[in-house]
């Protein structure tokens, strides 16, 4: 999962049109403007789209300039200490804006809100509203409380909330790729991780609403959806039935993938995140069966050492992980694999760090998100183990992991050179509007000269001439 920020696009006419296509009542403007900024994982970005939808329905417009906003929301992440530090720094900048605009409401949403709860109001004087990830339906009410002169908090976690009926307003969209949240929360108790505490128990969203959202997106011109969940392989939905009726068979992740893939062969499907303990051969066969399910799996390993994996409470060991990678390569030859790695977890020895490096050599990941361990208050690891690896050693191990990954990423990209790849044109290259940019099945980014016969949203065959460490360079061939 990436940590990055983005800001919202202005809610212009075209986007109101989209909202209508999503069968939303056109909201009557209340003349107030919302600015929302997101940190952390894709799930958080997806949640911001739900928040925007809820407020739009209550008459708000969105703005990309926080200085002119009436309500400023920051959707926060707690995964590592530095993610929280960035939010604190950002709040200082909002303090400045609030001095010029004293009526401005500042709200903290997401994981950090859930972790710190009302303490946030004590620590950060400018914050008016604190709202956890399961309480967004209450936002209009919480804003009304602030209008009445109070500061408000709702950090209740829910066992049911999936926002299934809310059609997210697509923020910062290229109009081609979108995220669909399929489940919320997490029941795994990885000892390093704050997520089970900030996002609550795992629950799956009604598959009908997921398929409908995918269909609506396709009808609007979108050509790729990424199904999001903390652990998509444990997706399981059992429809409620009236008393006396036969219970229906539960829908598994593999079933769901197939149903979304059947929306249209021109709609590409991606998903994230897979858990090594739960990813089944059935899912892999479903991926193999449908050409429009992208051959790419994000499979966080965290560590290559069985002892460290045990301390992390990952519930698999090195051999199990290797078995899953072998199954992927056997059932879906050429499948892209990416991962997450933590260096310097409590008590990790040099030999165990070497096992992580050798795991990387075994899998040859296409891509990796790599982090030095950061102790999070309240987690199992914080309670049970001492954070005993000195910072400089964590960093040195991280540097080694990053250096190795760089070599592997380049090797994996070089494998595509001299081959023709099917690319979905997502837009123009950041560097030049004379080039298109888009990704292949394995999620590798390609740039290639614009060809007037094809437009954004089309699939094209691109011959790959060369690559840099991060991008394929090619040209459209017929
Ligand atoms: N310290 C460092 N990295 C962490 N991650 C989760 N918690 C921590 C932590 N306390 C990483 C894991 C996870 C990714 C989203 O963030 O690798 O898969
Ligand atoms: Fe996402 Fe985890 Fe950060 Fe919450 S703490 S925003 S779930 S990465």
């Amino acid at each position: 999962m990436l940590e990055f920020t983005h800001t919202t696009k202005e809610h212009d006419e075209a986007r109101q049109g989209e909202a209508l296509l999503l069968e939303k009542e056109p909201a009557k403007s209340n003349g107030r403007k919302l600015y929302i900024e997101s940190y952390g994982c894709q799930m958080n970005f997806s949640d911001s789209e739900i928040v925007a939808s809820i407020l739009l329905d209550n008459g708000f417009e969105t703005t990309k300039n926080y200085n002119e906003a009436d309500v400023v929301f920051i959707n926060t992440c707690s995964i590592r200490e530095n993610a929280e530090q960035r939010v604190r720094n950002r709040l200082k900048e909002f303090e400045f804006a609030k001095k010029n605009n004293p009526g401005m409401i500042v709200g903290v949403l997401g994981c950090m809100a859930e972790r710190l709860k009302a303490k946030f109001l004590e620590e950060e004087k400018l914050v008016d509203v604190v709202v956890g990830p399961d309480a967004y339906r209450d936002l209009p009410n919480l804003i009304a409380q602030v209008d009445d002169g109070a500061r408000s908090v709702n950090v209740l976690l829910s066992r049911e909330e999936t926002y299934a009926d809310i059609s997210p307003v697509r923020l910062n969209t290229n109009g081609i790729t979108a995220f669909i949240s399929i489940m919320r929360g997490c029941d795994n108790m990885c000892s390093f991780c704050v997520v089970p505490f900030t996002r609550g128990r795992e629950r799956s969203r009604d598959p009908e609403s997921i398929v409908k959202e995918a269909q609506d997106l396709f009808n609007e011109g979108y050509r790729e959806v990424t199904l999001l969940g903390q652990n998509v392989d444990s997706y399981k939905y059992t429809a409620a039935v009236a008393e006396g009726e036969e219970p229906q068979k539960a829908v598994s992740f593999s079933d769901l993938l197939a149903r979304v893939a059947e929306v249209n062969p021109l709609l590409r499907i991606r998903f994230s995140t897979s858990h090594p303990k739960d990813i089944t051969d059935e899912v892999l066969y479903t991926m193999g069966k449908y050409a429009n399910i992208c051959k790419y799996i994000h499979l966080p390993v965290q560590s290559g050492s069985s002892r460290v994996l045990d301390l992390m409470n990952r519930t698999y060991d090195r051999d199990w992980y290797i078995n899953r990678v072998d199954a992927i390569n056997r059932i879906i030859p050429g499948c892209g694999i990416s991962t997450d790695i933590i260096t310097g977890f409590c008590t990790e020895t040099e030999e165990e760090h070497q096992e992580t490096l050798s795991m990387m050599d075994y899998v040859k990941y296409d891509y990796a998100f790599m982090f030095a361990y950061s102790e999070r208050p309240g987690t199992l690891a914080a309670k049970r183990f001492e954070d005993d690896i000195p910072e400089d050693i964590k960093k040195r191990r991280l540097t080694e992991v990053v250096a190795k990954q760089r070599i592997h990423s380049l090797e994996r990209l070089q494998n595509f050179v001299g081959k023709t790849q099917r690319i979905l044109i997502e837009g123009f290259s950041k560097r030049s509007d004379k080039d298109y940019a888009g990704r292949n099945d394995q999620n590798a980014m390609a740039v290639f000269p614009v060809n007037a016969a094809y437009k954004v949203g089309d699939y094209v065959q691109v011959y790959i001439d060369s690559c840099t460490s991060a991008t394929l360079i090619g040209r459209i061939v017929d």
Side-chain angles (χ1 to χ4, degrees):
M1 275 183 268
L2 271 175
E3 267 178 37
F4 55 99
T5 61
H6 81 177
T7 52
T8 69
K9 254 206 188 132
E10 216 144 48
H11 174 63
D12 56 24
E13 291 299 314
R15 303 198 52 72
Q16 272 179 18
E18 261 175 38
L20 279 172
L21 277 171
L22 290 165
E23 293 176 6
K24 290 168 73 73
E25 290 291 317
K28 253 202 200 132
S29 173
N30 63 10
R32 297 172 91 182
K33 288 193 174 133
L34 163 73
Y35 171 86
I36 184 164
E37 187 168 292
S38 312
Y39 293 77
C41 61
Q42 291 162 345
M43 189 67 90
N44 242 22
F45 285 75
S46 171
D47 279 2
S48 289
E49 299 185 333
I50 288 168
V51 168
S53 173
I54 290 170
L55 289 200
L56 237 75
D57 276 351
N58 278 270
F60 282 81
E61 287 172 42
T62 61
T63 170
K64 58 183 172 189
N65 175 1
Y66 67 83
N67 287 304
E68 64 166 43
D70 303 286
V71 173
V72 170
F73 282 159
I74 178 160
N75 197 354
T76 61
C77 173
S78 283
I79 199 102
R80 282 168 289 277
E81 170 86 45
N82 62 1
E84 293 202 352
Q85 200 46 53
R86 274 161 65 195
V87 166
R88 302 253 187 210
N89 294 343
R90 191 68 174 138
L91 282 171
K92 290 205 177 70
E93 291 169 35
F94 293 152
E95 204 171 289
F96 222 70
K98 196 163 170 163
K99 278 209 181 94
N100 297 329
N101 177 7
M104 186 172 110
I105 294 176
V106 176
V108 179
L109 319 182
C111 290
M112 205 176 159
E114 189 62 50
R115 198 177 80 72
L116 292 164
K117 303 186 169 58
K119 256 196 288 179
F120 230 117
L121 295 182
E122 288 161 33
E123 291 175 17
E124 304 280 350
K125 294 291 173 230
L126 87 154
V127 174
D128 305 292
V129 199
V130 177
V131 193
D134 285 346
Y136 297 145
R137 283 181 205 269
D138 198 25
L139 278 168
N141 172 43
L142 295 167
I143 291 172
Q145 285 179 27
V146 178
D147 289 339
D148 289 344
R151 297 167 91 197
S152 58
V153 180
N154 186 342
V155 286
L156 286 177
L157 287 173
S158 155
R159 279 175 175 260
E160 286 94 34
E161 181 63 271
T162 59
Y163 301 109
D165 56 312
I166 294 180
S167 302
V169 173
R170 303 292 160 184
L171 300 171
N172 244 21
T173 179
N174 56 10
I176 303 299
T177 61
F179 296 114
I180 301 182
S181 158
I182 64 163
M183 57 203 295
R184 298 182 71 81
C186 185
D187 279 356
N188 296 323
M189 274 293 196
C190 301
S191 62
F192 51 78
C193 189
V194 78
V195 175
F197 305 98
T198 61
R199 288 190 164 263
R201 299 304 298 268
E202 185 177 290
R203 62 223 102 112
S204 297
R205 178 179 168 190
D206 182 346
E208 302 296 331
S209 73
I210 297 169
V211 172
K212 180 174 183 305
E213 193 170 324
Q215 181 71 62
D216 287 344
L217 285 164
F218 184 79
N219 294 347
E220 289 169 50
Y222 285 82
R223 290 295 173 262
E224 182 182 298
V225 294
T226 303
L227 308 180
L228 287 183
Q230 238 68 43
N231 176 6
V232 290
D233 300 289
S234 62
Y235 176 92
K236 190 171 177 216
Y237 187 84
T238 318
V241 286
E243 244 184 58
E245 272 181 39
E246 280 286 301
Q248 288 182 13
K249 188 176 160 284
V251 178
S252 69
F253 181 58
S254 169
D255 301 332
L256 179 74
L257 263 183
R259 285 174 67 172
V260 179
E262 278 166 20
V263 164
N264 196 296
L266 287 178
L267 184 69
R268 260 185 178 180
I269 323 297
R270 296 186 187 277
F271 54 88
S272 186
T273 297
S274 301
H275 194 300
K277 96 174 143 60
D278 294 320
I279 188 163
T280 59
D281 287 359
E282 198 194 350
V283 165
L284 303 179
Y285 284 116
T286 303
M287 289 177 73
K289 184 173 158 197
Y290 290 92
N292 57 334
I293 303 180
C294 290
K295 309 301 177 260
Y296 178 78
I297 298 176
H298 184 60
L299 196 69
V301 64
Q302 312 298 0
S303 164
S305 147
S306 293
R307 191 190 72 90
V308 174
L309 287 170
D310 186 43
L311 294 183
M312 288 176 164
N313 202 24
R314 290 287 288 177
T315 67
Y316 57 85
D317 61 11
R318 183 181 171 93
D319 287 347
W320 175 279
Y321 188 89
I322 287 177
N323 167 292
R324 292 292 77 207
V325 170
D326 290 347
I328 293 170
N329 290 330
R330 186 178 68 245
I331 299 170
I332 321 167
C335 186
I337 307 180
S338 60
T339 201
D340 293 345
I341 292 172
I342 297 177
T343 64
F345 187 68
C346 315
T347 73
E348 183 189 68
T349 64
E350 257 344 288
E351 292 72 35
E352 288 162 341
H353 165 60
Q354 289 299 328
E355 287 190 84
T356 298
L357 292 169
S358 74
M359 178 68 96
M360 295 175 75
D361 283 329
Y362 184 83
V363 184
K364 290 229 163 67
Y365 294 105
D366 292 69
Y367 198 80
F369 300 95
M370 298 154 284
F371 315 100
Y373 174 60
S374 156
E375 185 177 85
R376 307 309 296 131
T379 55
L380 293 183
K383 284 185 197 147
R384 284 188 195 156
F385 315 124
E386 194 190 333
D387 179 11
D388 60 349
I389 307 299
E391 223 38 51
D392 57 336
I393 295 184
K394 284 182 189 170
K395 289 276 148 61
R396 195 256 302 145
R397 290 180 187 169
L398 179 62
T399 309
E400 290 175 13
V401 164
V402 169
K404 189 176 275 302
Q405 185 52 45
R406 219 170 257 148
I407 296 168
H408 291 165
S409 291
L410 181 61
E411 270 180 37
R412 297 287 285 212
L413 286 182
Q414 280 166 342
N415 283 337
F416 295 119
V417 174
K419 296 191 178 125
T420 299
Q421 298 289 300
R422 186 165 181 262
I423 309 275
L424 170 62
I425 308 177
E426 292 176 28
F428 293 91
S429 140
K430 269 189 218 128
R431 295 238 177 102
S432 153
D433 57 10
K434 292 196 175 69
D435 285 335
Y436 279 142
R439 282 168 298 150
N440 71 357
D441 228 48
Q442 288 83 353
N443 216 24
M445 184 56 81
V447 295
F448 42 95
V450 168
N451 172 330
Y454 301 98
K455 58 184 189 314
V456 173
D458 286 346
Y459 290 93
V460 281
Q461 296 292 331
V462 174
Y463 181 82
I464 307 302
D465 289 302
S466 63
C467 70
T468 67
S469 62
T471 315
L472 303 173
I473 300 162
R475 58 199 143 91
I476 296 178
V477 288
D478 287 326

